[in-house]
């Protein structure tokens, strides 16, 4: 229970969520929501609040439900700000577009710079709000979200916020149909690694809504929470999950396969340069071709851990340069890759890319020949940066920047080191690219005729914009009247623009001739040209040579294909060839606007209301109850400590933004004097995180014996540990921090002796003088780093370290020193883990092995402390003949001392788990096989110059004396060593059990089994 309510800042290792910025959060209310924002994003948030009210009207009709209280919505201006939120615990990756959590039922999300995409994310998250509202209300007792798989929850949110017309999801379904891998509901539920739950879940929900009516989608959810999804299909739809799966698969094949006839297979288009279009689990995206067409820079995941920047030969695909891994590079926390592509300098010697560092995006450039990072540029007053474009004269870099949740075009002068803003409005301004003469930027936007209407919040589909860099004059090009057109790239002569469009439901490359005002088709793929998201950059054209490269989606992954200049001309399209994008409709194909979902997506005004922001106030920091640690009650009769009543309860509070946290617990274990508890408070609003706490924890140990007169007695010794402390930490980055702590501890002692007569009656006897209390005051300073990447039972790659010094004063004066360093070297599929540990109390009194020395001693012999010497414990002493004569001396010499050193090596082999992580696929009980070798030693003298490895050496106390019978002799500290194998199993994703067989230096074998929480090792 103490662990459940303790402050998070006290973690031994762990990566940091850094508060780089201090946001001045404000709040206002609408009819259904509490809106939290900061002033920089007010305009965009006011519009988002109107979107939220409209989504509430839509979803309340779909779910046939109304909120009983207002739900909190917390908006951040961009993704870098969002990744600093305290409202969501743990790190947030780039792929997280928003979060809806169940404790306070908050929606937390960043604005995207595109009103249409922000509206989609908000609509998706508010579906989750309705799902939680149903699941968590008291009138729905027995309702359980555990009955619902992720594809069902997320697929419903995607369908109810996008509908059935979605070329991106249709591309995924065509790909699966072409390769004959359409999953059943059972497969979706069991294998979330192979079948992305958002895309496949949306397709299944579209089928259910299309065949049975959209209201059935929410009815299915309500029934599933009570009886489980399989039974809900039968009760709600009158069909089993297996039969529904076969119907959906056949409907998907019927809808998509005929449309692919005559189209080019992905493995037959151009030349596959990076990756194999038919291979599994590929991620090769964001291609950027060098000006001469010789090289291509791209972002790729080459193993389980690193998504990194590579440069390859554009003809052969041979890797010629790799950016230093983001986990080992201290200059940035992450490489931005979902919405960003890099840019080449005109001479092809340098490459610019975007990183996340110090809470903001930076423009970094590196030397392609050496891989050395040359410059790092943080652009002031621009919160996030997307899509770089290096000017033809090499003097400036254009980019799409997000400030206040709105996207605009900027140009950064590399020599003058200043930035000029080209646009300043609410329209999207994304993916800029320079014309060859450097006078014009082409970009993706939603402005122009039939563009976004900010009064009705009706969104225009993406089209191509052209802006004169000097005058700022903008005009738009819309080659097709349906679908989106994005990711523009100029031809070398500047007379054509290449772009990606989905006008017929397929995402292909087209060329628009600016002089002829005519459109030419370049590709006609069975699947599509795409990045990770529908709007991710996927296309690049060499500035001088005209060589084209683009990422294609196939077999659930992404590869990069190249076309020669001759192959990029394309065939001219006539107006009659322009078709409605019916291929983007998920089966069963229905007219646009049909059904409940389709009708409200086509109706922008119903539910749209104005919001009043005149009553804006400072965001409340009032603490609210998050959860109660379930109360426990128990009792025991008899035993060494007598009859006891045990129980406890804990309460956890936090404010709406997650900055302040309060934990309170009470715990009883015996009599009134055995009641303990604690209060902990932490504040993470600023970069300096701090926490304070006070606790009182009694513990009792008892024994029963008989006096010489034959009378039974019960002796109970109690230790009362009262602690008060404060701790602050300053994170330098996500991977390292400095910690400072102060505190004090009082150890009090009591003894109770009760005598029993032959009738079982007891009488308390005066125990005499109990030892005086022990007091310690302490300060501590620690430097902590964690750049590890975890597997399912333990870290697989990277490293961790903690170096700490803790002076302690009071009843004993000494300095505690801790040095713990661990590295993990991964080479698929095994990990070599190496650990070195030293703990010592310097300046402490000589160790005599008494109870009071336990507070300053170190031990090797506890088998349930993660990472200590396995196979050797106190019980091991009983099997050593020499120790039987003087067990206490053995215990002191072998296992205890004021200092300790430990070394350990493990070779870890993942046996069971997900397919991408294990030798055998079995996700329900992840298991690693481990071969290990441990060695450790404790000592009390100042050095180990007399360290002995003799098997006849038993141990030594602080003075070097060892008792064996009546003989004394001086010996040195003796190491304890063991080697063996173990099986490490992860249960419920949190508890790691380890069973091992070890052969120790002193013994021939040892079996042991433990249930351990292992966050450190």
């Amino acid at each position: 229970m103490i662990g459940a309510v303790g402050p998070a800042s006290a973690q031994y290792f762990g990566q940091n969520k850094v508060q780089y910025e201090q946001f001045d959060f404000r709040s206002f209310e609408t009819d259904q929501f509490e809106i939290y924002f900061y002033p920089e994003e007010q305009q965009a948030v006011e519009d988002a609040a109107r979107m939220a009210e409209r989504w509430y009207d839509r979803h309340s009709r779909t779910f046939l439900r109304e909120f009983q209280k207002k739900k909190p919505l917390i908006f951040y201006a961009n993704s870098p700000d969002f990744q600093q939120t305290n409202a969501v615990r743990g790190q947030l990756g780039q792929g997280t577009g928003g979060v809806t959590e169940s404790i306070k039922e908050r929606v937390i999300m960043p604005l995207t710079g595109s009103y249409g995409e922000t509206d989609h994310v908000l609509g998706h998250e508010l579906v989750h709000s309705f799902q939680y509202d149903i699941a968590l209300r008291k009138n729905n007792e027995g309702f359980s979200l555990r009955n619902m798989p992720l594809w069902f929850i997320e697929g419903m949110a995607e369908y109810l916020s996008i509908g059935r017309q979605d070329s991106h999801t249709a591309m995924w379904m065509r790909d699966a149909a072409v390769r004959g891998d359409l999953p059943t509901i059972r497969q979706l539920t069991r294998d979330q690694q192979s079948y992305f739950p958002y895309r496949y879940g949306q397709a299944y929900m579209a089928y259910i809504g299309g065949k049975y009516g959209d209201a059935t989608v929410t009815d299915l959810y309500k029934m599933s929470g009570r009886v489980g999804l399989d039974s809900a299909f039968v009760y709600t739809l009158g069909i089993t999950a297996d039969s529904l799966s076969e119907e959906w698969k056949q409907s998907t094949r019927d809808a998509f396969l005929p449309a692919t006839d005559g189209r080019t297979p992905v493995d037959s288009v151009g030349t596959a340069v990076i990756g194999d279009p038919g291979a599994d689990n590929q991620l090769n995206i964001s291609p950027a071709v060098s000006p001469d067409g010789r090289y291509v820079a791209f972002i790729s995941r080459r193993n389980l851990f690193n998504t990194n920047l590579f440069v390859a030969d554009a003809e052969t695909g041979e890797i010629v340069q790799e950016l230093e891994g983001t986990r080992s590079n201290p200059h940035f926390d992450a490489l931005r890759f979902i919405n960003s592509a890099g840019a080449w300098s005109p001479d092809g010697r340098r490459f610019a890319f975007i990183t996340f560092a110090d809470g903001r995006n930076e423009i970094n450039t590196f030397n392609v020949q050496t891989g050395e990072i040359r410059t790092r540029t943080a652009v002031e007053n621009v919160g996030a940066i997307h899509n770089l474009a290096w000017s033809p004269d090499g003097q400036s870099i254009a980019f799409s920047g997000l400030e206040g949740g709105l996207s605009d075009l900027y140009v950064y002068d590399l020599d003058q080191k200043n930035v000029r803003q080209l646009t300043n409005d609410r329209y999207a301004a994304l993916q800029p690219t320079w014309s060859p003469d450097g006078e014009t930027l082409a970009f993706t936007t939603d402005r122009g005729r039939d563009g976004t209407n900010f009064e009705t919040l009706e969104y225009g589909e993406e089209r191509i914009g052209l802006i004169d860099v000097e005058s700022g004059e903008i005009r738009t090009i819309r080659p097709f009247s349906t679908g989106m057109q994005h990711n523009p790239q100029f031809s070398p002569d500047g007379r054509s623009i290449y772009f990606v469009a989905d006008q017929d439901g397929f995402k292909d490359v087209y060329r628009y001739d600016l002089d002829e005002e005519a459109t030419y088709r370049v590709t006609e793929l069975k699947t599509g040209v795409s990045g990770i998201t529908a709007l991710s950059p996927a296309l690049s054209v060499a500035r001088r040579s005209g060589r084209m490269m683009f990422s294609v989606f196939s077999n659930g992954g992404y590869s990069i294909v190249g076309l020669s200049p001759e192959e990029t001309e394309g065939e001219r399209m006539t107006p009659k060839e322009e078709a409605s994008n019916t291929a983007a409709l998920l089966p069963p194909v229905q007219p646009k606007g049909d059904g409940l979902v389709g009708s409200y997506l086509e109706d922008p005004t119903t539910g749209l209301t104005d919001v009043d922001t005149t009553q804006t106030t400072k965001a409340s920091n009032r603490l609210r109850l998050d959860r109660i640690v379930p109360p426990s009650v128990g009792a025991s009769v008899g035993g060494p400590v007598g009859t006891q009543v045990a129980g406890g309860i804990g309460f956890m509070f936090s404010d709406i933004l997650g900055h302040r946290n309060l934990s309170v617990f009470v715990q009883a274990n015996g009599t009134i004097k055995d009641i303990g508890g604690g209060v902990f408070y932490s504040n993470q609003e600023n970069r300096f995180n701090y926490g304070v706490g006070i606790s009182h924890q009694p513990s009792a140990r008892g024994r029963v014996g008989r006096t010489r007169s034959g009378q039974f007695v019960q002796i109970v010794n109690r230790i009362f540990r009262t602690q008060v402390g404060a701790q602050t930490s300053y994170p330098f980055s996500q991977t390292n921090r400095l910690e400072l702590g102060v505190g004090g501890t009082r150890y009090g002692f009591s003894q109770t002796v009760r005598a029993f007569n032959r009738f079982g009656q007891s009488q308390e006897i005066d125990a005499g003088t109990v030892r005086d209390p022990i007091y310690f005051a302490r300060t501590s300073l620690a430097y902590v780093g964690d750049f590890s990447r975890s597997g399912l039972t333990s870290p697989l790659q990277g490293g961790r370290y903690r170096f700490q010094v803790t002076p302690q004063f009071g009843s004993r004066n000494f300095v505690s020193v801790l040095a713990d360093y661990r590295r993990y070297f991964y080479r698929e599929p095994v990990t070599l883990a190496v650990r070195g540990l030293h703990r010592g109390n310097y300046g402490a009194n000589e160790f005599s092995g008494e109870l009071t020395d336990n507070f300053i001693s170190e031990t090797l012999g506890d088998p349930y402390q993660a990472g200590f010497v396995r196979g050797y414990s106190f019980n091991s002493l009983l099997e050593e003949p020499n120790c039987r004569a003087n067990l206490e001396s053995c215990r002191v010499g072998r296992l205890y001392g004021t200092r300790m050193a430990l070394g350990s090596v493990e070779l870890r082999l993942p046996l069971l788990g997900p397919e991408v992580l294990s030798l055998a696929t079995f996700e329900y009980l992840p298991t690693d096989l481990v071969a290990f070798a441990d060695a450790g030693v404790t000592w009390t003298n100042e050095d180990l110059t007399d360290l002995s490895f003799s098997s006849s050496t038993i141990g030594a106390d602080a003075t070097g004396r060892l008792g064996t019978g009546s003989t004394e002799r001086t010996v040195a500290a003796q190491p304890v060593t063991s080697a063996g194998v173990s099986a490490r199993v992860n249960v419920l994703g949190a508890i790691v059990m380890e069973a091992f067989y070890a052969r120790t230096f002193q013994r021939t074998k040892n079996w042991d089994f433990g249930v351990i929480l292992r966050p450190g090792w």
Side-chain angles (χ1 to χ4, degrees):
M1 184 169 292
I2 296 169
V5 299
S9 59
Q11 59 183 332
Y12 188 76
F13 288 132
Q15 297 180 7
N16 314 307
K17 179 175 285 185
V18 188
Q19 297 298 303
Y20 295 104
E21 307 289 341
Q22 186 170 355
F23 304 108
D24 180 22
F25 268 97
R26 317 288 294 176
S27 69
F28 65 88
E29 294 187 358
T30 66
D31 291 342
Q32 305 298 335
F33 301 101
E34 299 172 356
I35 310 292
Y36 295 85
F37 71 104
Y38 38 98
E40 300 94 299
E41 54 176 349
Q42 180 162 349
Q43 173 65 75
V45 168
E46 288 179 2
D47 291 331
R50 298 174 65 212
M51 298 176 194
E53 287 294 332
R54 183 171 64 185
W55 277 118
Y56 174 81
D57 180 81
R58 294 169 173 177
H59 292 332
S60 63
R61 283 184 282 147
T62 308
F63 281 91
L64 298 177
R65 187 175 185 85
E66 295 182 350
F67 291 162
Q68 298 302 308
K69 63 177 182 178
K70 297 181 179 182
K71 308 291 186 185
L73 305 181
I74 303 173
F75 290 102
Y76 288 84
N78 50 60
S79 180
D81 289 358
F82 171 60
Q83 290 180 283
Q84 301 174 52
T85 184
N86 285 321
V88 182
R89 297 186 183 275
Q91 301 291 345
L92 292 170
Q94 293 181 55
T96 304
V99 173
T100 305
E101 56 83 36
S102 62
I103 295 176
K104 289 184 169 64
E105 297 184 60
R106 295 166 288 191
V107 171
I108 309 103
M109 60 171 284
L111 301 169
T112 67
S114 166
Y115 269 44
E117 182 59 19
T118 294
D119 189 67
H120 160 225
V121 175
L122 182 56
H124 177 108
E125 296 303 328
L126 288 179
V127 173
H128 294 322
S129 282
F130 275 88
Q131 291 170 340
Y132 278 131
D133 190 73
I134 293 171
L136 300 177
R137 298 289 77 84
K138 290 183 179 179
N139 60 351
N140 265 346
E141 292 182 6
F143 193 101
S144 175
L145 286 171
R146 290 192 299 269
N147 295 333
M148 304 180 202
L150 186 63
W151 72 265
F152 181 68
I153 295 294
E154 297 296 350
M156 179 186 300
E158 280 290 88
Y159 175 59
L160 296 182
S161 59
I162 298 177
R164 67 178 56 257
Q165 183 162 322
D166 186 353
S167 61
H168 194 63
T169 295
M171 178 185 68
W172 278 68
M173 297 307 107
R174 278 197 309 274
D175 175 62
V178 167
R179 56 190 166 92
D181 191 23
L182 289 168
T184 64
I185 289 173
R186 195 176 305 277
Q187 287 174 306
L188 275 182
T189 302
R190 292 181 175 178
D191 190 356
Q192 297 177 21
Q193 299 292 330
S194 300
Y195 303 105
F196 189 43
Y198 287 74
R199 303 279 73 81
Y200 289 97
Q202 180 190 358
Y204 262 102
M205 291 297 104
Y207 180 77
I208 293 171
K211 181 176 180 180
Y212 300 95
D214 289 331
T216 310
V217 173
T218 55
D219 291 341
L220 191 62
Y221 171 81
K222 296 172 184 177
M223 183 63 69
S224 297
R226 297 187 176 279
V227 301
L229 186 57
D230 286 345
S231 298
F233 283 129
V234 177
Y235 292 144
T236 307
L237 309 180
I239 190 174
T240 65
D242 291 341
S243 297
L244 180 64
S245 297
E246 293 306 315
E247 285 188 5
W248 173 80
K249 290 168 65 175
Q250 187 59 50
S251 179
T252 302
R253 286 191 291 263
D254 292 344
F256 289 138
L257 288 181
T260 63
D261 291 341
R263 286 183 163 266
T264 308
V266 173
D267 56 4
S268 300
V269 61
T271 303
V273 178
I274 307 297
D276 180 358
D280 294 327
N281 298 318
Q282 295 186 105
L283 183 66
N284 303 291
I285 55 173
S286 301
V289 191
S290 63
D292 59 6
R294 182 179 177 185
Y295 298 108
V296 58
F298 63 100
I299 294 171
S300 178
R301 183 182 60 220
R302 292 277 154 158
N303 56 43
L304 291 173
F305 309 105
N306 283 333
T307 300
N308 210 1
L309 178 64
F310 297 85
V311 177
D313 187 291
E315 293 290 342
T316 65
E318 179 184 358
I319 303 297
V320 297
Q321 192 58 262
E322 177 182 357
L323 183 69
E324 182 183 1
T326 56
R327 282 292 175 182
S328 57
N329 191 323
H331 299 305
F332 54 83
D333 295 327
L335 185 71
R336 310 305 289 181
F337 65 89
I338 291 181
N339 293 316
S340 299
W344 290 85
S345 63
D347 59 10
R349 296 181 179 179
R350 289 179 294 169
F351 188 79
F353 60 98
I354 303 170
T355 64
F356 174 69
D358 296 331
R360 64 178 65 186
N361 287 162
E362 289 185 349
I363 301 174
N364 287 203
T365 66
F366 82 107
N367 186 304
V368 176
Q369 281 71 39
T370 64
E372 175 189 3
I373 294 180
R374 298 290 300 276
T375 62
R376 298 177 57 221
T377 302
V379 182
E380 294 296 329
N381 301 319
V382 180
I385 298 173
H386 296 168
N387 309 117
L388 305 178
W390 211 315
S391 65
D393 62 7
Q395 299 302 308
S396 57
I397 293 178
F399 60 87
S400 172
L402 268 68
E403 183 61 23
L406 305 174
S407 61
D408 285 295
L409 295 180
Y410 298 81
V411 175
Y412 181 79
D413 190 300
L414 294 170
D415 293 331
Q416 300 299 321
K417 301 187 184 305
N418 57 35
V419 65
R420 180 162 67 98
Q421 186 171 346
L422 300 183
T423 63
N424 186 14
D425 51 46
R426 288 184 280 179
Y427 292 109
L430 309 169
Q431 301 169 343
T433 185
W434 289 94
S435 63
D437 59 12
E439 297 180 358
T440 304
L441 281 171
F443 62 102
T444 301
T445 185
D446 58 353
R447 72 186 67 224
R449 186 169 57 87
D450 72 352
T452 294
N453 184 321
F454 296 104
E455 293 299 320
T456 63
L457 293 180
E458 187 174 7
Y459 313 114
E461 293 179 297
E462 292 78 10
R463 75 284 311 271
I464 299 167
L466 296 173
I467 182 171
D468 185 284
V469 176
E470 288 300 321
S471 68
E473 182 181 350
I474 300 175
R475 65 187 179 96
T476 60
I477 299 172
R478 188 148 167 74
F480 303 111
S481 61
T482 60
M484 69 175 181
Q485 297 109 59
H486 75 110
N487 199 179
Q489 295 284 293
F490 277 99
S491 63
D493 61 9
R495 300 175 63 181
S496 295
I497 293 178
Y498 295 95
F499 60 95
V500 178
D502 64 353
Q503 54 93 19
D504 58 358
F506 291 80
K507 301 174 73 174
D508 279 303
V509 177
Y510 297 85
R511 179 174 67 88
Y512 182 79
D513 190 296
L514 293 169
D515 296 330
E516 299 176 359
E517 296 186 352
T519 304
Y520 293 76
R521 177 187 286 275
V522 178
T523 67
E524 194 172 10
L525 298 177
K526 288 181 179 291
T527 53
V529 176
S530 180
I532 291 180
T533 70
L535 269 176
S536 292
L539 172 66
S540 177
V541 177
R543 180 174 293 166
R544 295 198 299 268
S545 73
R547 180 172 175 78
M548 176 188 292
M549 304 200 78
F550 50 86
S551 57
V552 296
F553 180 79
S554 175
N555 208 20
Y558 301 85
S559 56
I560 296 176
V561 172
L563 295 180
S564 66
E566 295 74 23
E567 296 174 301
T568 63
E569 289 297 315
E571 297 181 0
R572 181 165 179 165
M573 301 180 65
T574 61
K576 67 179 181 179
E577 291 183 79
E578 183 178 330
S580 63
N581 52 355
T582 54
L585 288 171
L586 301 173
V589 175
Q590 296 176 343
K592 190 175 182 181
D594 189 46
L596 177 60
V597 174
S599 62
Y600 69 56
L601 290 174
E602 288 294 301
D603 178 11
T605 58
T606 301
L608 191 66
T609 61
D610 292 331
V611 298
D612 180 11
T613 60
T614 59
Q615 302 300 317
T616 297
T617 60
K618 185 175 180 59
S620 171
N621 57 11
R622 179 173 64 89
L623 296 176
R624 309 180 187 183
L625 180 65
D626 285 345
R627 63 189 178 97
I628 299 175
V629 179
S632 59
V633 178
S636 63
V637 179
V641 294
T643 300
Q644 294 189 88
V645 176
I649 190 170
F651 303 88
M652 303 183 72
F653 304 84
S654 70
D655 63 12
I656 193 67
L657 296 171
H659 295 328
R660 299 163 181 83
N661 295 271
L662 176 68
S663 304
V664 181
F665 78 93
V666 178
Q667 192 167 13
N669 190 27
T671 63
I672 297 296
K673 65 178 67 176
D674 295 309
I675 296 177
V679 179
F680 301 97
Y681 173 81
S682 66
N683 188 303
Q684 299 170 301
E685 183 175 8
N686 304 311
R687 191 160 186 172
F688 271 106
N689 300 326
Y690 68 88
V692 296
I694 183 171
S695 65
H696 176 71
Q697 297 171 289
S699 60
R701 297 182 64 183
R703 64 182 187 272
V704 177
R706 178 179 292 182
T707 65
R708 291 181 178 178
S709 63
Q711 186 178 27
F712 284 97
V713 295
Q714 179 192 61
I715 303 173
V716 179
N717 292 302
R718 287 182 172 85
I719 299 177
F720 304 95
R721 183 174 66 177
T722 304
Q723 291 182 295
V724 61
Q727 179 171 321
T728 183
S729 67
Y730 183 85
F732 298 105
S733 68
Q734 290 183 358
T735 58
N736 55 75
R737 66 180 177 270
L738 196 67
E739 292 181 358
L740 175 66
V742 296
T745 305
R746 177 189 183 274
Y747 293 94
F749 306 91
S750 74
Q751 186 179 78
T752 302
V753 181
R754 303 189 68 84
F756 296 84
N757 59 26
R758 60 192 182 93
F759 300 106
Q761 298 171 329
S762 65
Q763 178 182 4
E764 188 168 326
I765 301 176
D766 183 9
T769 303
V770 181
R771 68 181 65 200
D772 294 332
I774 296 176
Y775 296 90
F776 287 111
R778 67 182 182 278
T779 61
S780 66
L781 181 66
Y783 181 66
V784 186
D786 189 337
F787 56 100
S788 64
R789 291 178 180 265
S790 292
L792 298 172
T793 67
S794 54
L796 297 182
Q797 187 189 58
R800 293 171 163 180
Y801 51 84
R802 185 180 186 93
F803 305 104
Q804 181 171 324
V805 177
T806 307
Q808 304 201 47
F809 315 94
S811 301
R812 302 282 182 92
N813 298 323
F814 57 93
V815 177
S816 295
V817 175
L818 168 67
D820 192 344
Y821 185 80
R822 314 175 188 196
R823 282 301 306 269
Y824 315 102
F825 303 95
Y826 178 79
R827 185 164 183 176
E828 190 173 357
V830 299
T831 293
L832 177 67
V834 181
R835 177 187 187 185
L837 170 69
H838 170 61
R839 283 166 50 172
N841 297 309
Y842 289 83
N845 294 337
E846 292 186 348
F847 177 65
S848 60
E850 295 184 2
L851 177 63
T852 54
D853 291 296
N854 291 346
F855 302 121
I856 63 170
S857 66
E858 304 295 342
T859 176
L860 287 174
D862 187 346
Y864 300 110
Q865 292 200 47
F868 282 29
V869 177
R870 284 158 289 192
Y872 199 89
S873 65
F874 296 128
N875 293 331
S876 306
L877 298 168
L878 299 177
E879 299 192 14
E880 296 184 24
N882 292 334
C883 279
R884 294 172 184 170
N886 194 330
L887 179 60
E888 195 62 33
S889 180
C890 292
R891 182 174 300 175
V892 170
R894 184 76 45 80
L895 298 177
Y896 275 112
T898 57
R899 294 153 208 183
M900 176 186 70
L902 171 76
S904 181
V905 178
E906 290 190 2
L907 190 66
R908 302 170 177 172
L909 177 67
L911 178 63
L912 302 178
E915 182 179 358
V916 296
L917 279 175
S918 309
L919 298 181
T921 302
F922 188 74
E923 298 183 13
Y924 306 103
L925 200 65
T927 304
D928 283 0
L929 298 181
V930 181
F932 64 84
D934 297 338
V937 63
T938 59
W939 73 99
T940 56
N941 53 318
E942 290 298 327
D943 56 58
L944 290 177
T945 55
D946 296 328
L947 179 66
S948 171
F949 288 87
S950 170
S951 61
S952 62
T953 301
I954 302 304
D957 63 13
T959 61
R961 296 187 304 244
L962 175 71
T964 53
S966 59
T967 305
E968 291 186 357
R969 54 196 178 99
T970 301
V971 297
Q974 179 186 357
V976 175
T977 58
S978 71
V981 294
S982 70
R984 195 171 291 161
V985 181
N986 190 320
V987 180
L988 302 177
I991 301 174
V992 176
M993 299 188 299
E994 181 173 359
F996 59 81
Y997 175 81
R999 179 167 182 173
T1000 66
F1001 184 72
Q1002 290 79 16
R1003 303 178 59 202
T1004 59
K1005 64 180 179 179
N1006 183 37
W1007 284 94
D1008 213 331
F1009 180 78
V1011 179
I1012 340 167
L1013 287 173
R1014 301 176 67 98
W1017 177 241

